[in-house]
Amino acid sequence: MQLAQRLAGLEMSAVPVWVLDVDRSRVCWVNEAGLEMWRAQDRDELFARDFSTVPAPVRTRIQALAAQVRERRVVRESWTFYPRGMPVTVTLHSSSVELDDGRFAILSQALPPDGAPEPELLRGIEALRHTSVMIAFVDPTGDLLMQNPAALRAFGRTRTWSAWLSEPGEADAMLRAALDGDIVTREMLVRTVDGERLHAIEGRAVRDPVAGAMGVLLHHTDETARIGAERSAEERGRLLEELNATLALVEQQRGEILALSAPILDVGERALALPIIGALNRERSAEIAARLLPAIAGSGVDRVILDMTGAAALDEAGARHLIEMVGAIRLLGASAMITGIQPALARTLVASGFDGTGITIVGSIAQGLSRSRKR
């Protein structure tokens, strides 16, 4: 028997009745009262409406309704529809019906609501259905009594709230604390249909308006992005502290290495010796001068031996730094002696315009120390 024949008895019913083809998200049968409720011009106009474009919370609710009806259940729920933008609140009785091609569909009968609901209640219900906050109401054992569309989208249909949690054993302690009168807040890992997320969860005891017993109202907000950003910031801060500590250590070690590569030696009789090892660049010249010049001024030194035996081949800039150092030593009233000049350094000094007037130059530091003692 065709669908139209099976539903012929409902054609003249004063109760709006229609059939929703779930797969195609379209109405495929409606009686006259249904046409009037949906404010449709005619059947073709209503059948052309695409219900897949409704807001996501409504789609989720339709899917949940279809899942219940598929189990051969008659579902009774309060729905508010908006045909042509005008709100219509009804008590919807939904059941399963088979289409002519054997596919599943939902037969809906829209009865007047039991009493006129308060506008505040209607708005509160709509807010609950459209909010992105995931809300559930459970009995003391954690069995789900209600979940809003956002929760259905996130977790699908489950029997217990604990099934939402990555650690289900944490559910009992939170429920007990809420039933003891606490407003409990936790950050927990949860298992959504899209994978593991981090939720901020609040639970509080609320009396069930249907059964009268106490239950727990729970709401979840997804804090994965925020907490992830905070943890990333903390990790960046920790890494920055480690980097600063490492840089401080490197700077300390660099100073120690510089000092070792150009140690200031007291060789007696108001004389200092400074063996320079490695390259003599601007940074090393400044560091050596910062240690050497105060040592000259503060100890009455009148002779300084600069030993270049271990110095790397200097470029013109390095030669200028050496010349500047010799000039600074002489300005402090000490005489400068240079020892250990290698051929390459000699050529560089000449090319840089080095004037050795007034400077004692000998072949080795041993000779320099001997010459210094004779003076």
Side-chain angles (χ1 to χ4, degrees):
M1 185 181 296
Q2 298 293 303
L3 179 67
Q5 295 173 310
R6 283 179 280 148
L7 300 180
L10 297 174
E11 284 281 2
M12 303 307 296
S13 172
V15 174
V17 183
W18 63 91
V19 175
L20 178 66
D21 183 337
V22 178
D23 294 337
R24 297 172 181 167
S25 298
R26 296 180 186 273
V27 172
C28 59
W29 185 92
V30 65
N31 67 356
E32 289 293 333
L35 279 176
E36 183 178 349
M37 192 206 85
W38 284 107
R39 299 176 180 268
Q41 297 174 1
D42 52 38
R43 284 179 170 79
D44 289 340
E45 189 271 323
L46 179 60
F47 295 166
R49 295 183 189 179
D50 184 1
F51 287 88
S52 67
T53 61
V54 297
V58 178
R59 290 199 303 273
T60 301
R61 196 176 180 204
I62 292 172
Q63 291 165 2
L65 175 63
Q68 292 176 287
V69 170
R70 282 183 188 275
E71 298 173 0
R72 301 297 178 183
R73 295 168 56 184
V74 177
V75 181
R76 180 177 180 273
E77 292 180 328
S78 175
W79 281 72
T80 300
F81 300 105
Y82 296 88
R84 303 291 185 189
M86 297 297 294
V88 178
T89 300
V90 299
T91 299
L92 198 66
H93 288 248
S94 301
S95 58
S96 174
V97 66
E98 186 176 301
L99 299 178
D100 293 340
D101 58 7
R103 290 183 302 109
F104 162 80
I106 299 175
L107 174 67
S108 296
Q109 301 180 65
L111 280 66
D114 300 330
E118 294 291 332
E120 184 178 358
L121 176 60
L122 287 176
R123 290 169 181 146
I125 291 171
E126 285 302 289
L128 183 67
R129 288 171 178 164
H130 289 272
T131 181
S132 61
V133 176
M134 294 147 276
I135 298 175
F137 187 61
V138 301
D139 68 14
T141 67
D143 285 347
L144 283 163
L145 302 174
M146 151 293 161
Q147 59 188 123
N148 73 337
L152 278 170
R153 286 196 302 276
F155 299 103
R157 298 196 66 83
T158 62
R159 188 180 65 83
T160 64
W161 171 65
S162 62
W164 297 6
L165 308 181
S166 294
E167 296 293 339
E170 298 180 2
D172 289 341
M174 187 168 178
L175 293 178
R176 284 197 303 271
L179 290 167
D180 286 342
D182 295 335
I183 297 177
V184 187
T185 57
R186 298 282 191 277
E187 287 182 353
M188 293 184 176
L189 285 172
V190 298
R191 294 180 295 194
T192 72
V193 296
D194 295 323
E196 197 167 66
R197 306 288 291 176
L198 192 56
H199 281 192
I201 306 173
E202 180 185 284
R204 64 179 69 204
V206 175
R207 190 171 296 280
D208 184 353
V210 176
M214 294 302 295
V216 177
L217 178 66
L218 298 152
H219 71 75
H220 290 226
T221 54
D222 192 333
E223 301 291 342
T224 308
R226 178 186 65 80
I227 294 172
E230 289 176 355
R231 290 180 177 175
S232 295
E234 290 175 1
E235 180 65 12
R236 286 195 297 271
R238 184 185 65 79
L239 291 174
L240 183 59
E241 288 179 1
E242 291 181 358
L243 177 60
N244 288 335
T246 301
L247 290 175
L249 178 60
V250 169
E251 181 63 20
Q252 177 186 344
Q253 292 173 340
R254 187 190 64 82
E256 293 171 353
I257 291 169
L258 285 173
L260 289 172
S261 63
I264 299 173
L265 306 176
D266 185 348
V267 293
E269 300 179 5
R270 301 172 65 186
L272 297 177
L274 180 71
I276 296 175
I277 302 169
L280 188 63
N281 53 30
R282 179 176 297 279
E283 183 182 20
R284 290 199 65 209
S285 296
E287 190 276 335
I288 291 170
R291 292 187 296 112
L292 176 61
L293 300 183
I296 296 171
S299 58
V301 170
D302 59 11
R303 298 185 305 283
V304 177
I305 302 172
L306 299 176
D307 181 53
M308 307 301 294
T309 305
L314 300 184
D315 57 13
E316 291 191 10
R320 285 196 301 273
H321 298 319
L322 178 60
I323 295 168
E324 291 170 1
M325 191 182 305
V326 169
I329 292 170
R330 296 174 68 178
L331 285 173
L332 290 175
S335 63
M337 179 187 298
I338 302 177
T339 66
I341 293 179
Q342 304 302 312
L345 175 57
R347 287 193 296 271
T348 304
L349 288 173
V350 170
S352 302
F354 177 67
D355 181 6
T357 304
I359 302 173
T360 302
I361 301 175
V362 297
S364 69
I365 190 170
Q367 293 172 344
L369 290 171
S370 177
R371 182 78 62 90
S372 175
R373 292 190 186 101
K374 289 178 181 178
R375 291 180 60 187

